[in-house]
Amino acid sequence: MAAAVERRLAEFRAARGSVAASPRPAEPPGKVASPEAAEGHPASAAGPGGGAEARPGGAAAPVWARPLLLKVLLWAVLLALFVELELGLPYFILSLLYWMYAGTRGPAERRQGELSAYSVFNPGCTAIAGTLTAEQLERELHYRPAAGR
C-alpha cells in the first residue's frame, strides 16, 4: 500500500515538474502578487488566525476592520447595556429572532437549479435526496417485521 502511494506521489511530482524549482505554490491567474510576497516576506500576510485579512491591493486589513467582528462587538456592548437596564433577556430574544429573519433567503436569492429543503417550494414538488416521505414511512411500517421475532 505504501509503495503504491509513493509511486503515485512520484508520478504526480514528475507531472508537476521539479519540486525544488517552485517551493511556493503559484498564484492563481488574475491575482497580483503583493510586493512583500515578491521580496520573500510571506509572514506579513497572516492567515485566518494570524490577525489580518488579505486585500486585493496587497495591503492587509487590520483586525478591527472586519465587519463581522465589529457586528459581534456591537451586539455584545448593546447586550451589556441592556443587561444593565434589566432588559437583557428581551434584547437577546429579539436579536435571535432578527438573526433568524436575516439568515433566511427569499426564493429570488436561490441559485439556478438549487432545490429547497421544503418540497412544496420546488417545481413539481420535487423532494431532495434523503427526504422521508409519507409513502416511504408507510411502506417501512407495514412491511418490516416486528422487532424481536
Side-chain angles (χ1 to χ4, degrees):
M1 170 101 172
V5 172
E6 290 294 327
R7 183 180 50 79
R8 289 186 63 204
L9 181 61
E11 290 172 1
F12 172 77
R13 286 182 177 161
R16 185 171 163 235
S18 171
V19 175
S22 69
R24 291 186 328 164
E27 294 292 328
K31 183 176 179 185
V32 179
S34 65
E36 293 87 17
E39 294 173 6
H41 297 89
S44 64
E53 276 184 11
R55 286 189 178 171
V63 173
W64 50 265
R66 294 183 179 183
L68 180 62
L69 179 66
L70 290 175
K71 289 176 186 178
V72 169
L73 286 176
L74 176 66
W75 180 83
V77 168
L78 287 175
L79 177 64
L81 174 70
F82 279 102
V83 165
E84 195 64 33
L85 296 173
E86 297 181 5
L87 294 171
L89 184 62
Y91 174 76
F92 185 76
I93 291 173
L94 288 175
S95 55
L96 285 180
L97 290 173
Y98 171 73
W99 286 334
M100 285 191 295
Y101 170 75
T104 58
R105 296 183 300 161
E109 297 173 2
R110 194 180 307 159
R111 287 181 232 108
Q112 184 70 24
E114 181 182 12
L115 295 176
S116 172
Y118 303 103
S119 60
V120 294
F121 298 121
N122 295 332
C125 292
T126 308
I128 59 173
T131 302
L132 180 65
T133 62
E135 293 83 15
Q136 179 185 359
L137 181 63
E138 188 175 279
R139 241 187 353 261
E140 290 176 1
L141 288 175
H142 287 290
Y143 297 115
R144 190 172 210 178
R149 289 189 188 184

